[in-house]
Amino acid sequence: MVSDRGLEVLRAIVEDYVALREPVGSKSIVERHAFGVSAATIRNDMALLEEEELIVAPHTSSGRVPTDKGYRVFVDRLQRMQPLTPAQRQAIARFLDESVDRDDVLARTARLLSSLTNQVALVQVPLRRPGAVRRVELVAVTESKVLAVLILDSGRVEQRLLDVGQRIEPDQASVLGRAFTETIAELAPAEAVQRLSSTAASAPASIAAATGAVAQALTEMLQGAGGDRIVMAGAANLVREERDFQGTVTPVLDAIEEQVTLLRLFDEMGSEGEVATRIGRELSGPLGEAAVVASTYTADGSEGHVGVLGPTRMDYAGNMAAVRAVARYLTRLLSED
């Protein structure tokens, strides 16, 4: 169990490491924070924090840095999310009120949030859902080309002619179309996209290439049909923080360019409270060294998300306050519009 003072030591380590990007030692904690105890006592507290896997020593440094678990405890129990200052709120209102239409509002929101936080800003475009999938039809056109038709229960039809990379017979195309229908029928676009990847992975070897090509095409059509897309700003901020990532930041940039990963993440975070966070290992794949802070906003009865993405070494309190304030103002602005 970590004592109250131990938690305050953890707070000091997180805040100092975020501010200075240097491992934090007991001596610097005593000098920078008014704990009223010796450096030896602070070292004992740090040893207990290390036993709880809340901090770790990087390489041979005598200082300590927070772990993903340590950041999570800080966010859940220790961070103080202060409201933005009146001047900051006025700046938000002034900048967004100059927008000429909804697209401009969302683009300005992304630029504003990136400027406020020095992170990558993400704004999901809120469009009404088109309804569930009704069926999928596949028609063999040539030896390797198939017409993929996606029909939604709203009456909307999406189609695409694609080369599936292998010979496929008409009856195989029909059977594959029925298989996809059974997999995603009656699902909303976002749910259907998640289901498609598992279907492609379990396809028979004889038509694996065709199944994968069709699944990819259907994914792209479902994303377009759902109206889901994300406006981004501030990718250069991530590049400037490359030292906070092991190796290169390129996989993270690639992941955020593939918006389906972020859209799925936003869907998962939608019910986690006014401001939600995912930190390090709570994120999958190349985002496992990053952190995401997000909130929701509404427009015409539809819900979208606004958030920031950056390294785990980020100003959580400040970023959460900025995301919350921008989301609230965006809701108010779009409702008035």
Side-chain angles (χ1 to χ4, degrees), residues 2 6 11 13 15 23-24 36 92 119 128 144 155 186 200 209-210 212 224 234 250 252 258 285 309 313 315 332:
V2 180
R11 184 206 301 278
I13 292 172
E15 291 177 348
V24 181
I92 292 173
Q119 307 292 344
R128 294 186 182 278
S144 63
E186 300 183 5
T250 300
V252 182
E258 296 173 4
L309 180 149
R313 189 195 66 85
D315 176 11
R332 190 159 61 246

Side-chain angles (χ1 to χ4, degrees), residues 66-102:
T67 62
D68 292 349
K69 182 179 177 182
Y71 283 124
R72 171 51 62 193
V73 171
F74 174 80
V75 168
D76 290 347
R77 299 177 59 181
L78 301 173
Q79 62 87 24
R80 305 183 182 102
M81 184 166 58
Q82 299 294 332
L84 299 188
T85 66
Q88 288 174 314
R89 292 182 176 277
Q90 289 172 10
I92 292 173
R94 194 162 50 244
F95 185 71
L96 295 185
D97 284 343
E98 294 175 356
S99 306
V100 297
D101 55 29
R102 179 169 297 192

